[in-house]
Amino acid sequence: MPRKVKLALQGGGAKITSILAAMEAVEKLEENGEIEVTEIAGTSAGAIIAVLYAGRFLKGKKKQYTLEAIRT
């Protein structure tokens, strides 16, 4: 049974790379069934990533397009 987790992501445009790296780790833990993200929130850049994650825009090909859009 996966552990239920609530995430709070910090803001800061310069930190967006770190936030994305953390979300990749969270995604792997979810895929392995170790955790289940039940709630997610954030401020500024963290809020953008939270919305994208909740909408599953950080998976598969959508992830590549999303990251390209963020970096430009």
Side-chain angles (χ1 to χ4, degrees), residues 7-58:
L7 297 176
L9 306 177
Q10 64 185 1
K15 298 175 188 170
I16 202 160
T17 305
S18 300
I19 296 168
L20 288 169
M23 293 311 296
E24 284 185 22
V26 167
E27 203 171 66
K28 287 179 185 176
L29 292 171
E30 270 196 309
E31 288 172 1
N32 292 338
E34 296 178 47
I35 66 170
E36 175 186 354
V37 177
T38 58
E39 295 178 35
I40 186 167
T43 59
S44 190
I48 294 168
I49 299 303
V51 168
L52 294 172
Y53 185 81
R56 300 297 183 206
F57 283 95
L58 296 180

